[in-house]
Amino acid sequence: MANVAVVGAQWGDEGKGKIVDWLSERADVVVRFQGGHNAGHTLVINGVTYKLSLLPSGVVRGKLSIIGNGVVVDPWALLAEIGRIAEQGITITPDLLKIAENACLILPVHGHLDRAREEASGSAKIGTTGRGIGPAYEDRVGRRAIRVCDLADDKILEQKVEKLLAHHNVLLKGLGAQLVDGQEMLGQLKDIAPKILPFADVVWQRLDEIRHTRKRVLFEGAQGAMLDVDHGTYPFVTSSSTVSGNAGTGSGVGPGQVGYVLGICKAYTTRVGSGPFPTELFDNIGETIGDRGREFGTVTGRRRRCGWFDAVLVRQAIKVGGINGIALTKADVLDGFAELKICTGYRYKGEVIQHLPAAQSAQAEVEPIYETMPGWSESTCGARSWKDLPAAAIKYIRRIEELIGAPVAMLSTSPEREDTILVHDPFAT
């Protein structure tokens, strides 16, 4: 049976929550493989809205849910999220949720440092959520990180806290920020350890056992390809690899086990925070798209920047991420526009180019080249088959397929999970 990886093909916030929920009903196991609680998925099930940040979407369906080693885990945020979901009737037990024992932790010092850096950056802010994800990943590659398994060893924990703060307090002092007390941090970690350790598991081994049972695994990514630390709009990116190649590394499985890669993208483009955005709209059309699409971040509540569909970026994400098919979301937001535009290329220094350059200055200077298409006056909201769509909407979707070089496997026409047109089932591919 095929496994499926779901990744964002734009700057995140593409509507992965609904698509992952739709797929999770068909999956046996859901694995979150990167990111932290800076990401957010919104699920609407039977009229009830669930907002998840760290928890894999499968928990709402009662499916075995795994937080892989590629995720940085804020244990306090995780317990708070488990508490919120419990209030909605979803009980999270160690039988339902497994956390990789080698996953790195986000500590209060990380958020403290993250916010101090952003404040010191002034107009050069990257636009982080201030939740410590970046500093936690820095500690991971700097070999200073405290991991889930360390919570079971007081001696190692004490040594690691000392080493960690020897590094971070120097930075905080240089930023004029308050230093962190090691004993206080140690006490916080020892207090939360018995609440987190029951969820710890040898995830790579469990996934290997699952592979031999032929169960379907859904690998769930966060953010999007243009926020990838290598392939995104650097330095205005996240601190992890968001493309499908990280599904195996961040979970502890080989690349051959990932299977079908489904990229999620909106029928237009949005971005949160700072950084280049070639097709961004600063007029009433952009405002209208944002209002209709309710474009506010699940985690931050920040209003998203909105623009026309950028086929150049999505095509690039498809090539870099090995995406086999696209789930196109929020097509209904475009209902009623007399005409629509699609970015088919960029103009840079007098030349037409077909990719987003890596250089920061070049990314800021590219100008979109647009193709104009007729819009549609009919409503597509809630459509569940191609025959329910206006001819102009189908033409728009087909043109997107041509420009990005990948088929639309699924089309979402509202936040409700059943309002989905399935062209082909990724699990059956």
Side-chain angles (χ1 to χ4, degrees):
M1 291 184 180
N3 296 329
V4 176
V6 174
V7 294
Q10 293 163 313
W11 276 293
D13 306 308
E14 300 98 347
K16 289 187 290 296
K18 170 189 169 174
I19 301 300
V20 168
D21 174 58
W22 194 93
L23 290 168
S24 69
E25 189 173 41
R26 292 156 176 78
D28 301 297
V29 183
V30 181
V31 184
R32 171 79 181 276
F33 64 83
Q34 52 79 217
H37 65 307
N38 55 339
H41 288 172
T42 300
L43 288 66
V44 180
I45 303 173
N46 297 325
V48 179
T49 300
Y50 301 91
K51 294 189 176 183
L52 307 179
S53 294
L54 267 174
L55 291 172
S57 300
V59 297
V60 179
R61 297 280 172 191
K63 302 298 177 75
L64 177 62
S65 298
I66 294 174
I67 296 177
N69 56 275
V71 178
V72 284
V73 180
D74 182 324
W76 296 275
L78 177 60
L79 291 178
E81 188 173 333
I82 289 173
R84 288 194 299 272
I85 294 299
E87 292 176 357
Q88 294 183 279
I90 306 294
T91 302
I92 309 297
T93 67
D95 289 330
L96 178 65
L97 176 67
K98 307 293 182 182
I99 306 173
E101 62 176 359
N102 53 336
C104 297
L105 298 179
I106 300 175
L107 309 174
V109 66
H110 293 133
H112 183 37
L113 179 59
D114 205 356
R115 293 184 292 273
R117 279 178 175 170
E118 282 285 88
E119 186 177 343
S121 297
S123 60
K125 289 180 180 179
I126 292 175
T128 76
T129 59
R131 299 189 175 211
I133 283 77
Y137 273 115
E138 288 177 37
D139 281 346
R140 179 189 182 206
V141 297
R143 292 165 290 186
R144 294 179 298 269
I146 293 172
R147 305 191 297 174
V148 171
C149 56
D150 296 328
L151 296 176
D153 189 327
D154 286 351
K155 185 177 179 180
I156 288 292
L157 196 59
E158 291 170 9
Q159 293 173 357
K160 287 199 168 187
V161 166
E162 183 179 355
K163 180 180 179 180
L164 188 79
L165 293 185
H167 175 80
H168 284 300
N169 274 338
V170 172
L171 296 176
L172 290 168
K173 184 177 180 180
L175 292 167
Q178 183 178 351
L179 304 188
V180 174
D181 180 82
Q183 288 303 309
E184 182 180 353
M185 178 188 288
L186 194 59
Q188 292 173 325
L189 287 169
K190 288 182 177 181
D191 179 62
I192 205 164
K195 303 172 186 176
I196 292 295
L197 285 173
F199 296 100
D201 195 25
V202 186
V203 160
W204 66 266
Q205 190 174 65
R206 183 169 294 274
L207 287 173
D208 184 62
E209 293 168 355
I210 288 169
R211 177 170 68 91
H212 292 290
T213 64
R214 296 180 60 80
K215 290 183 177 179
R216 291 174 169 177
V217 180
L218 179 63
F219 296 94
E220 176 184 3
Q223 290 105 12
M226 290 300 116
L227 291 175
D228 184 90
V229 69
D230 291 308
H231 302 289
T233 50
Y234 192 92
F236 303 99
V237 293
T238 193
S239 299
S240 62
S241 178
T242 62
V243 297
S244 65
N246 194 32
T249 306
S251 305
V253 302
Q257 293 181 46
V258 173
Y260 187 96
V261 180
L262 181 69
I264 317 296
C265 66
K266 288 174 181 168
Y268 49 96
T269 311
T270 63
R271 175 165 201 170
V272 172
S274 306
F277 187 168
T279 65
E280 184 172 10
L281 294 168
F282 300 96
D283 55 12
N284 288 336
I285 293 177
E287 289 286 326
T288 300
I289 290 174
D291 291 340
R292 287 185 185 177
R294 298 177 184 175
E295 295 297 351
F296 296 90
T298 300
V299 171
T300 64
R302 291 182 291 184
R303 188 176 182 88
R304 297 174 185 138
R305 300 153 65 189
C306 299
W308 294 120
F309 186 86
D310 192 331
V312 181
L313 284 186
V314 176
R315 183 171 63 243
Q316 192 163 322
I318 286 169
K319 293 179 182 297
V320 169
I323 292 172
N324 301 110
I326 286 291
L328 192 67
T329 65
K330 293 196 170 184
D332 53 301
V333 173
L334 300 180
D335 292 352
F337 284 104
E339 63 178 28
L340 303 171
K341 293 183 179 181
I342 300 176
C343 175
T344 60
Y346 299 135
R347 187 170 285 106
Y348 177 62
K349 293 188 181 298
E351 296 184 4
V352 175
I353 60 174
Q354 293 295 328
H355 72 284
L356 185 68
Q360 185 177 345
S361 58
Q363 290 179 352
E365 293 174 22
V366 296
E367 298 177 4
I369 298 171
Y370 286 119
E371 177 180 306
T372 302
M373 298 190 67
W376 54 89
S377 58
E378 307 95 320
S379 172
T380 63
C381 185
R384 297 185 181 181
S385 68
W386 285 109
K387 65 181 178 62
D388 296 330
L389 297 174
I394 295 175
K395 186 176 180 180
Y396 179 75
I397 295 165
R398 294 305 185 204
R399 184 56 178 150
I400 285 177
E401 290 180 316
E402 292 173 359
L403 290 169
I404 66 176
V408 171
M410 301 172 69
L411 180 69
S412 170
T413 58
S414 93
E416 293 292 336
R417 67 184 302 278
E418 296 303 329
D419 292 339
T420 305
I421 299 173
L422 179 67
V423 182
H424 61 261
D425 186 349
F427 277 121
T429 302

